[in-house]
């Protein structure tokens, strides 16, 4: 069975979807609509059918699914229109600008019975899946700290991403990916506290980076950081447990695990610093640690679309659940609230806790 998807918004990401969809069995691109004539010309040059407007796309009975890949502020209205016209919808991330907008979308999905999902594609990132495996299999013993960051040095792209009314800023852009990964990695563990600061190095109207400290029940702390003015990048991932530390340096998954081998070091050789000696910070003896390569988890981003196809054919449950989307939207709301008030925000705690 062939399922036809139409793409609204054929910019960088719409184009990426167009290319990817050609490689997924059972799904084909029915056509494309973009408000910019030059993007329509480009879509034609790629061999895609183009619709004269969004209404014509929605009126095409061949179209089963609409993929929304426009700037963030348009996701809600386009998704709602498409579902009301009888189409299933995939929205790019962030699903909407705030939790309330998302709840409006979810309500229409429930009322119309149309399937709605969000392209949280970074759940298929191999660096994230590798860290999740290390954590969930307890390879470092009891973990107390995880750091997940992305650093660039080019500021925010000079388009709608710089405008608050379009849903610009890095919390909504990269943050939604990294925060979603952090919540997924922790599974059912409650997130108790959120503390965040936003940066405005190159942009005053929207955040051009942020640091959020997430404290989970049981004590695991995850630091999520996005920077766009970092000319030296810190590692993509860092995880520290009672028995070892794991690091992933970059997108190529360079990294390692350094683990204690169970030998106690009674006779630590102190290290000399300019202002004195220290045993606490002295490096480990080689025979008390073991350096291991990462247990890299392989994945295939096409599985996102394979899942959508299987949901259409009632063969699978959606991999991206709407409750998870709501949770990450609420987390971003808590991050903005914390940054504004300069206070810790209590998250998944009941009144009595
Ligand atoms: P972009 O600016 O390159 O593309 C957006 C396109 O939408 C433009 O071509 C624009 O002309 C078109 N558009 C604007 N208003 C429209 C309308 N009313 N009707 C039809 N088309 C309209 O931006 P992008 O980088 O492709 O981002 C698009 C979306 O994809 C955003 O929501 C962004 O957050 C998301 N995105 C997701 C990922 C990911 O990894 N999942 C990566 C990049 C972008």
């Amino acid at each position: 069975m062939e399922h036809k998807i139409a793409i609204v918004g054929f910019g960088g990401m719409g184009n990426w979807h167009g290319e990817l969809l050609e490689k997924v069995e059972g799904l084909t691109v029915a056509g494309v609509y973009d408000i910019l004539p030059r993007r329509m010309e480009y879509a034609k040059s790629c061999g895609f059918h183009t619709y004269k407007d969004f209404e014509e796309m929605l009126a095409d009975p061949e179209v089963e699914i609409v993929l929304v890949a426009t700037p963030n502020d348009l996701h809600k209205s386009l998704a709602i229109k498409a579902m009301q016209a009888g189409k299933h919808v995939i929205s790019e991330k962030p699903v909407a600008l705030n939790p309330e907008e998302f709840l409006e979308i979810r309500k229409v999905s429930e009322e119309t019975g149309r399937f709605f999902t969000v392209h949280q594609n970074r759940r298929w990132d191999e660096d994230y899946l590798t860290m999740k495996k290390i954590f969930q299999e307890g390879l470092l013993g009891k973990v107390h700290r995880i750091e997940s960051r992305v650093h660039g040095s080019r500021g925010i792209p000079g388009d709608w991403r710089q405008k608050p009314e379009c849903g610009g800023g890095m919390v909504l852009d990269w943050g939604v990916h990294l925060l979603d990964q952090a919540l997924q990695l922790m599974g059912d563990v409650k997130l108790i506290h959120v503390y965040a600061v936003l940066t405005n190095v190159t942009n005053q109207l929207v955040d051009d980076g942020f640091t959020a400290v997430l404290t989970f029940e049981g004590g695991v702390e995850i630091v999520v950081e996005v920077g766009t003015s970092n000319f030296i990048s810190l590692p993509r991932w860092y995880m520290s447990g009672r028995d070892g530390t794991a690091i992933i340096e970059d997108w190529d998954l360079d990294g390692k695990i350094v683990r204690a081998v169970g030998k106690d070091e009674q006779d630590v050789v102190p290290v000399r610093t300019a202002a004195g000696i220290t045993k606490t910070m002295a490096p480990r003896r080689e025979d008390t640690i073991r350096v291991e390569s990462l247990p890299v988890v392989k994945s295939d981003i096409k599985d996102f679309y394979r899942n959508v196809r299987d949901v259409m054919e009632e063969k699978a449950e959606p991999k991206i659940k709407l409750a998870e989307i709501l949770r990450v939207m609420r987390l971003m709301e808590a991050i903005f609230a914390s940054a504004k008030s300069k206070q810790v925000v209590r998250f998944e705690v009941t009144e009595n806790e």
Side-chain angles (χ1 to χ4, degrees):
M1 198 193 297
E2 206 61 22
H3 303 276
K4 298 226 164 131
I5 301 192
I7 305 174
V8 56
F10 201 68
M13 210 51 198
N15 186 33
W16 186 87
H17 283 285
E19 284 174 9
L20 186 70
L21 278 162
E22 288 180 347
K23 298 176 195 144
V24 183
E25 207 181 310
L27 298 177
T28 43
V29 178
V32 166
Y33 169 64
D34 194 290
I35 203 163
L36 282 181
R38 67 178 165 78
R39 294 308 296 173
M40 294 280 265
E41 284 310 312
Y42 176 69
K44 274 186 206 150
S45 76
C46 298
F48 292 120
H49 168 71
T50 54
Y51 296 98
K52 75 174 164 36
D53 52 30
F54 188 50
E55 284 63 37
E56 191 185 58
M57 174 187 281
L58 297 186
D60 181 352
E62 292 268 290
V63 173
E64 192 178 349
I65 306 166
V66 169
L67 168 77
V68 180
T70 58
N72 300 341
D73 57 317
L74 300 170
H75 293 176
K76 183 186 95 171
S77 60
L78 295 173
I80 287 178
K81 269 192 202 154
M83 286 189 283
Q84 286 172 339
K87 311 300 184 190
H88 303 293
V89 172
I90 302 169
S91 170
E92 257 306 341
K93 51 51 60 173
V95 61
L97 303 192
N98 53 53
E100 287 65 39
E101 279 199 4
F102 168 63
L103 289 171
E104 283 182 59
I105 300 174
R106 193 177 71 173
K107 188 158 168 275
V108 175
S109 166
E110 285 162 4
E111 284 165 1
T112 57
R114 298 295 84 189
F115 172 61
F116 177 80
T117 195
V118 183
H119 187 235
Q120 289 295 155
N121 49 325
R122 292 203 174 272
R123 286 197 196 176
W124 281 267
D125 279 4
E126 293 182 354
D127 54 45
Y128 152 68
L129 292 170
T130 301
M131 276 305 190
K132 188 174 170 195
K133 178 184 167 82
I134 292 170
F135 178 74
Q136 294 188 342
E137 294 186 1
L139 302 185
L140 307 178
K142 189 172 169 10
V143 167
H144 50 90
R145 187 177 175 90
I146 302 170
E147 297 179 21
S148 166
R149 35 169 85 72
V150 287
H151 277 168
S153 62
R154 298 170 186 281
I156 305 183
D159 53 11
W160 57 267
R161 283 178 169 83
Q162 301 201 357
K163 298 182 185 157
E165 64 277 18
C166 295
M170 281 294 132
V171 173
L172 287 166
D173 193 359
W174 270 93
V176 69
H177 285 305
L178 269 49
L179 296 162
D180 181 65
Q181 289 178 341
L183 293 177
Q184 290 296 306
L185 192 146
M186 293 301 295
D188 293 335
V189 184
K190 275 200 218 170
L191 171 57
I192 307 293
H193 293 142
V194 177
Y195 181 71
V197 285
L198 309 182
T199 61
N200 296 95
V201 182
T202 56
N203 283 78
Q204 300 311 308
L205 296 178
V206 294
D207 67 283
D208 51 32
F210 70 95
T211 304
V213 182
L214 315 179
T215 308
F216 288 83
E217 197 167 57
V220 176
E221 190 169 86
I222 305 191
V223 176
V224 175
E225 186 176 292
V226 174
T228 54
S229 299
N230 299 74
F231 292 79
I232 298 172
S233 299
L234 288 174
R236 172 70 188 87
W237 289 94
Y238 179 88
M239 185 184 293
S240 215
R242 177 74 181 75
D243 308 327
T245 301
I247 194 164
I248 296 183
E249 300 282 354
D250 47 34
W251 300 114
D252 294 333
L253 268 89
D254 293 321
K256 62 186 172 188
I257 293 177
V258 177
R259 194 204 296 273
V261 291
K263 288 182 192 156
D264 259 345
E265 272 187 89
Q266 303 300 347
D267 51 345
V268 180
V269 182
V271 67
R272 280 186 183 280
T273 74
I277 59 166
T278 171
K279 281 189 176 180
T280 314
M281 298 303 161
R284 284 254 182 181
R285 265 192 352 241
E286 288 294 311
D287 62 327
T288 68
I289 50 169
R290 190 169 59 220
V291 180
E292 295 173 7
S293 47
L294 295 166
V296 171
V297 176
K298 291 282 170 202
S299 82
D300 182 355
I301 184 55
K302 294 192 278 310
D303 284 344
F304 170 82
Y305 274 121
R306 293 186 184 116
N307 176 247
V308 170
R309 177 198 61 203
D310 292 348
V311 171
M312 292 292 113
E313 296 174 7
E314 296 181 3
K315 292 181 186 157
E317 286 293 305
K319 283 224 162 101
I320 314 281
K321 309 261 191 297
L322 296 190
E324 297 162 352
I325 296 299
L326 181 59
R327 196 171 175 226
V328 80
M329 291 307 294
R330 290 213 159 114
L331 174 52
M332 292 194 293
E333 183 181 51
I335 284 172
F336 288 125
S338 171
K340 193 168 177 202
S341 65
K342 297 185 168 45
Q343 302 283 324
V344 170
V345 169
R346 286 154 67 82
F347 197 64
E348 289 162 337
V349 281
T350 57
E351 284 304 307
N352 307 328
E353 285 175 285

